[in-house]
Structure formats: C-alpha cells, structure tokens
C-alpha cells in the first residue's frame, strides 16, 4: 500500500513552453502532498506544500507564478512549470502523507520526474 | 533555521564491517528525525524514525539531543545495503521535512 506515482517520468521541452507533472496517490487519499526539487548530486529541497481544495504553500524563494500547483482531488496534485527555461531543468519529486492507514508523519515518495529544458 | 548535515558524501566499507552514517541537526524545537534510503533505480523510502526506536534491516539510530545527532548504525554491513541514505528532520507538526545532503554508502565484497 501507500504508493505514489508520477507522470511523466521524463520530459524534454523547449525553452518558453510549459510542462505539467502529475502526482497521484494510488491506494490512499492524500489531503497533503509535497513537491521537492533535486539538483544533481544534491539533496531534496522542498518547494511547496499542496493542500487539497486550497492554495499551495510555497517555500521562501520559490516563484509561485513559475511553479503552479493544483490539488484538485484527494489523489491528484499537479505541478506546472510555466515558461520553462534551462535553469528549471531538474529532478522533481512529489510525496504524499497517508492519514488513513499509515503513520501521519510518514511521507511516501513518487519516483520523480526528470525535466530537461532545451 | 532548521538544518540537517551529513558530513560524508561517500562512505565505503567492506561486507561484514560495522557502518555508521553521521547526521547532525540544528533545530530550536523538539525534533523528529528520520532516515530515508534510496536504492539504485528506486524511489526514496523511509528506513526508520527516531520515535519508533526500532531496528530495520539491522539498522538503528539513536537521537542524541546533547550532541544534536542522529547517526545511523549497523554492526555488520551487507552488500544489499549499498544505497543513498538521507537523514531528515520534521518540523511544523510533521508537515515538512528538511533533508541532509545524503551519503552514498557502498559495501564492498
């Protein structure tokens, strides 16, 4: 149980285009999901907390208009990188908390999405 | 500010030898500490948390508030332990996680 999926796993896009990444909790409901960014050989950095039915909470330094987050249902959160530029190239990882069967302080991670902006 | 430090980016030990992955943290409140592991080509997964005081796959970690440390230990390393290990601190009512830089552990045969 407690599986989180991400789609796509890899995406390559041209500079100036927008890219949407989906994060789904497959077998549980997630009122809260988290979006992280990981640069090569570096740690995960929390970008924002996605709350179902309300606005996301962004970490300091993260551009809200650049990284649009929508959490429209209890099993789906999306991250849209708008007007992507090469510096947005990174590994994006989502996680979700399972308040049902699992411990609420446990985050279950998706496999990540590799974004490359040309 | 919350911070987690893993001083070793790389750690290599022989099979059967003891392993210790270091983790230090800074946090003014009461911390909740975790160890996450990422095996090759797999997603990040929880290894253990300090609250549970459990041993998972032979690994243990004790929270030392005096030294602000949460080192991960295993008395006899196995080849399947080779992976990337991240120490993490939870704050704001377990809503957020701060990760250390990670330590890549390699177990040599």
């Amino acid at each position: 149980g407690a599986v989180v999926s991400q789609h796509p796993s890899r995406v390559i896009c041209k500079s100036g285009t927008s890219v949407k990444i989906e994060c789904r909790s497959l077998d549980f409901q997630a009122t809260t999901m988290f979006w992280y960014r990981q640069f090569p050989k570096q740690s995960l950095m929390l970008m924002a907390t996605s709350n179902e039915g309300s606005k996301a909470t962004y970490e300091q330094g993260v551009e809200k208009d650049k990284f649009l987050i929508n959490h429209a249902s209890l099993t789906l959160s999306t991250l849209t990188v708008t007007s992507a530029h090469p510096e947005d190239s990174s590994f994006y990882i989502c996680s979700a908390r399972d308040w049902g069967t699992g411990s609420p302080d446990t985050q279950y991670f998706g496999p990540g999405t590799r974004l490359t902006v040309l | 500010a919350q911070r987690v430090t893993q001083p070793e980016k790389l750690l290599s030990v022989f099979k059967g030898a003891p392993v210790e992955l270091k983790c230090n943290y800074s946090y003014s409140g009461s911390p909740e500490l975790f160890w996450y592991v990422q095996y090759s080509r797999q997603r990040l997964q929880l290894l253990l948390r300090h609250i549970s005081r459990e041993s998972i796959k032979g690994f243990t970690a004790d929270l030392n508030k005096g030294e602000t440390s949460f080192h991960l230990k295993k008395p006899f390393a196995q080849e399947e332990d080779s992976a990337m290990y991240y120490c993490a601190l939870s704050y704001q009512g377990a809503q957020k996680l701060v990760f250390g830089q990670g330590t890549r552990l390699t177990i040599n045969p």
Side-chain angles (χ1 to χ4, degrees):
Chain A
V3 178
V4 175
S5 70
Q6 280 184 245
H7 178 79
S9 58
R10 292 176 179 268
V11 57
I12 301 173
C13 68
K14 293 182 178 180
S15 185
T17 61
S18 294
V19 174
K20 180 185 284 188
I21 302 171
E22 293 185 348
C23 176
R24 293 182 184 273
S25 55
L26 298 185
D27 48 3
F28 66 99
Q29 293 183 333
T31 55
T32 305
M33 291 183 172
F34 303 88
W35 286 96
Y36 295 85
R37 184 173 181 177
Q38 185 176 33
F39 290 103
K41 299 185 179 181
Q42 295 190 30
S43 188
L44 287 77
M45 298 293 293
L46 179 65
M47 298 175 63
T49 303
S50 172
N51 300 298
E52 187 269 336
S54 63
K55 291 183 178 180
T57 304
Y58 290 82
E59 295 301 300
Q60 191 174 8
V62 178
E63 298 178 61
K64 301 178 182 180
D65 295 332
K66 162 69 92 174
F67 300 101
L68 300 180
I69 292 173
N70 183 275
H71 195 152
S73 77
L74 288 172
T75 60
L76 174 64
S77 175
T78 60
L79 168 68
T80 301
V81 183
T82 63
S83 187
H85 291 284
E87 57 264 31
D88 298 323
S89 298
S90 190
F91 196 56
Y92 293 88
I93 305 171
C94 74
S95 71
R97 298 173 67 186
D98 181 3
W99 288 94
T101 58
S103 172
D105 61 1
T106 300
Q107 291 187 24
Y108 297 95
F109 287 81
T113 297
R114 172 81 57 196
L115 170 63
T116 303
V117 184
L118 302 177
Chain B
Q2 308 80 15
R3 178 176 290 182
V4 177
T5 303
Q6 292 178 249
E8 304 143 326
K9 285 190 176 181
L10 302 171
L11 182 62
S12 182
V13 301
F14 286 102
K15 177 182 174 181
V19 172
E20 181 178 50
L21 287 80
K22 291 183 168 48
C23 172
N24 289 91
Y25 67 90
S26 63
Y27 180 52
S28 57
S30 182
E32 293 187 52
L33 275 298
F34 304 83
W35 276 99
Y36 282 84
V37 60
Q38 188 170 28
Y39 299 103
S40 180
R41 302 181 185 276
Q42 295 187 28
R43 68 189 67 196
L44 201 64
Q45 57 185 286
L46 179 67
L47 179 63
L48 52 80
R49 71 195 83 184
H50 92 271
I51 299 177
S52 303
R53 300 185 65 81
E54 56 198 347
S55 174
I56 303 295
K57 298 183 179 181
F59 284 98
T60 59
D62 291 318
L63 179 61
N64 186 323
K65 293 186 177 181
E67 296 183 357
T68 60
S69 69
F70 188 57
H71 302 328
L72 183 68
K73 300 177 183 180
K74 184 169 182 176
F76 307 103
Q78 298 173 302
E79 289 187 62
E80 53 264 34
D81 295 329
S82 294
M84 193 75 177
Y85 291 81
Y86 292 96
C87 182
L89 178 149
S90 174
Y91 65 105
Q92 287 197 9
Q95 278 281 0
K96 299 185 178 183
L97 286 174
V98 173
F99 286 87
Q101 300 91 323
T103 298
R104 182 168 297 283
L105 175 64
T106 300
I107 307 301
N108 300 306

